């Protein structure tokens, strides 16, 4: 038994070493594919390194240069999911590459882009059956886990946004298209931040929540201002107004349908507040069934 245990430990250590070397090679390859211009850096006349330098990746990912160098040297160091997420964004990894990065690091990707086991085929069918009403499924972090066609065009083109970026907090604080579509933007941002803080109490220390907060704090001074107010707001039915880029002004009643006893995943549904909005929702649904139109007057 002792020999078998030792053999197993040796194989495990060898497997971990192989993964570290694969991870190092993968990072180097992807780093060399990104040009300085792609990340807003000047090329400079004396640049010899293809792609980005190690120190540039480290700076853009907010990690230490020495630590990142060790990572590319296949050193035996621990890598947090927050750092992996930052590296994936800096290196502009697509969904498959991001999943590969996390597998090589032996970590589980906590973002909704990785998997959504709570969104069953029955729930997806419900979303489809609610059309022409816009509807989606969100969790308490505001991740958009699934949505129907009208919701995909409600504030722009959600299909064009990377799955890991489909988060209402990220979009309302950093996405220009979403911000232009929200009529009462500052009030909406403040209420959403207050709802997020109320939800955070049940998820303190969870990696996905820490990643979301760190990203918002680094990307949006407005979020920092709202977050530091320590306001707390519970769920409630309310009227929302949007400037839809395809059909014009919409006045909608927002309703949350909770999918379990805990205040976690919910189906978010919008119904028309007036007849004009109802007609425009019908038009939006018809347009959502066709290729994306050019944005113009409604």
């Amino acid at each position: 038994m002792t020999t078998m245990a030792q053999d197993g430990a040796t194989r495990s250590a060898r497997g971990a070493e192989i993964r570290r070397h694969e991870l190092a090679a993968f990072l180097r390859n992807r780093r060399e594919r990104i040009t300085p211009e792609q990340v807003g850096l000047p090329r400079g006349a004396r640049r010899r390194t293809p792609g980005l330098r190690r120190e540039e990746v480290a700076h853009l990912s907010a990690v230490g240069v020495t630590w990142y160098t060790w990572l590319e040297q296949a050193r035996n160091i621990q890598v947090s999911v927050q750092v992996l997420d930052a590296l994936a964004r800096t290196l502009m990894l697509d969904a498959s590459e991001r999943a590969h990065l996390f597998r090589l690091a032996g970590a589980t990707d906590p973002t909704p882009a990785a998997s959504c086991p709570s969104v069953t085929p029955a729930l997806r069918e419900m979303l489809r059956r609610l059309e022409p009403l816009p509807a989606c499924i969100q969790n308490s972090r505001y991740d958009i886990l699934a949505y129907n066609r009208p919701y995909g065009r409600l504030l722009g083109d959600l299909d064009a946004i990377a799955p890991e970026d489909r988060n209402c907090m990220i979009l309302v604080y950093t996405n220009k298209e979403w911000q232009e579509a929200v009529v009462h933007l500052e009030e909406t941002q403040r209420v959403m931040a207050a709802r997020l803080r109320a939800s955070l109490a049940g998820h303190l220390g969870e990696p996905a929540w820490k990643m979301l907060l760190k990203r918002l704090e680094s990307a949006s001074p407005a979020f920092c201002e709202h977050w530091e107010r320590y306001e707390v707001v519970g769920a409630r039915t309310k009227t929302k107004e949007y400037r839809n880029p395809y059909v014009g002004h919409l006045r909608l009643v927002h309703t949350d349908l909770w999918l379990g006893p805990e205040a976690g995943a919910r189906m978010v549904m919008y119904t028309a507040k007036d007849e004009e909005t109802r007609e425009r929702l019908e038009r939006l649904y018809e347009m959502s069934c066709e290729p994306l139109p050019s944005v113009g007057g409604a």
Side-chain angles (χ1 to χ4, degrees):
M1 290 293 292
T2 301
T3 301
M4 292 178 62
Q6 290 174 338
D7 289 344
T10 300
R11 286 194 299 270
S12 178
R14 179 57 180 164
E17 182 182 0
I18 292 172
R19 283 198 304 274
R20 288 198 304 272
H21 281 277
E22 285 291 324
L23 175 61
F26 181 66
L27 289 172
R28 286 195 300 271
N29 177 272
R30 294 307 183 266
R31 171 171 60 82
E32 293 173 355
R33 293 191 321 172
I34 305 296
T35 65
E37 292 84 355
Q38 286 178 285
V39 294
L41 295 176
R43 171 168 291 279
R46 303 178 63 181
R47 178 179 292 270
R48 297 178 180 178
T49 304
L52 297 179
R53 300 186 178 101
R54 285 175 176 171
E55 56 267 27
E56 290 170 335
V57 173
H59 173 72
L60 292 169
S61 304
V63 301
V65 176
T66 299
W67 186 92
Y68 180 75
T69 301
W70 286 350
L71 194 59
E72 281 203 6
Q73 291 175 344
R75 300 280 190 96
N76 188 11
I77 58 177
Q78 294 296 317
V79 189
S80 70
V81 293
Q82 292 94 331
V83 168
L84 291 171
D85 176 71
L87 290 174
R89 295 180 189 282
T90 297
L91 299 174
M92 300 179 180
L93 304 185
D94 62 24
S96 297
E97 292 169 336
R98 180 186 174 95
H100 185 63
L101 174 70
F102 275 81
R103 281 196 298 269
L104 289 177
T108 300
D109 188 349
T111 65
S115 62
C116 302
S118 61
V119 182
T120 64
L123 288 175
R124 293 186 186 277
E125 175 68 10
M126 287 178 64
L127 288 175
R128 191 182 69 81
R129 293 284 183 174
L130 284 170
E131 295 176 349
L133 300 180
C136 71
I137 295 174
Q138 297 178 16
N139 59 20
S140 53
R141 266 194 327 269
Y142 281 104
D143 293 321
I144 302 170
L145 306 178
Y147 56 93
N148 63 12
R149 288 173 292 186
Y151 187 88
R153 301 283 174 84
L154 185 60
L155 289 95
D157 182 13
L158 189 57
D159 292 342
I161 295 172
E164 60 268 22
D165 294 334
R166 292 174 191 163
N167 174 282
C168 292
M169 292 295 298
I170 294 293
L171 293 169
V172 81
Y173 274 103
T174 68
N175 184 281
K176 183 178 179 181
E177 187 176 39
W178 272 56
Q179 291 174 337
E180 291 176 347
V182 178
V183 173
H184 306 290
L185 179 61
E186 184 175 0
E187 178 187 356
T188 298
Q189 290 175 330
R190 183 177 57 81
V191 170
M192 289 176 65
R195 286 190 65 180
L196 186 73
R197 185 172 285 283
S199 298
L200 176 63
H203 303 275
L204 295 172
E206 293 183 13
W209 283 78
K210 292 165 66 176
M211 285 168 52
L212 174 62
L213 293 175
K214 183 176 180 181
R215 184 177 177 190
L216 286 166
E217 288 168 347
S218 63
S220 173
F223 173 78
C224 294
E225 178 185 343
H226 295 153
W227 192 248
E228 289 169 4
R229 293 182 182 184
Y230 279 82
E231 294 178 332
V232 177
V233 173
R236 61 191 181 193
T237 298
K238 52 194 168 294
T239 299
K240 291 193 173 183
E241 295 184 60
Y242 297 130
R243 302 182 192 91
N244 183 271
Y246 312 114
V247 298
H249 190 270
L250 299 172
R251 298 182 72 243
L252 302 166
V253 178
H254 171 122
T255 302
D256 288 323
L257 305 175
W258 302 99
L259 302 180
E262 299 292 332
R266 63 190 184 276
M267 183 173 291
V268 177
M269 181 175 64
Y270 293 93
T271 54
K273 182 74 172 179
D274 51 49
E275 182 60 24
E276 184 178 40
T277 295
R278 188 194 66 77
E279 293 174 356
R280 289 182 174 181
L281 282 182
E282 292 282 354
R283 288 170 53 196
L284 183 65
Y285 166 63
E286 292 172 1
M287 296 172 74
S288 72
C289 298
E290 303 295 334
L292 186 68
S294 59
V295 176

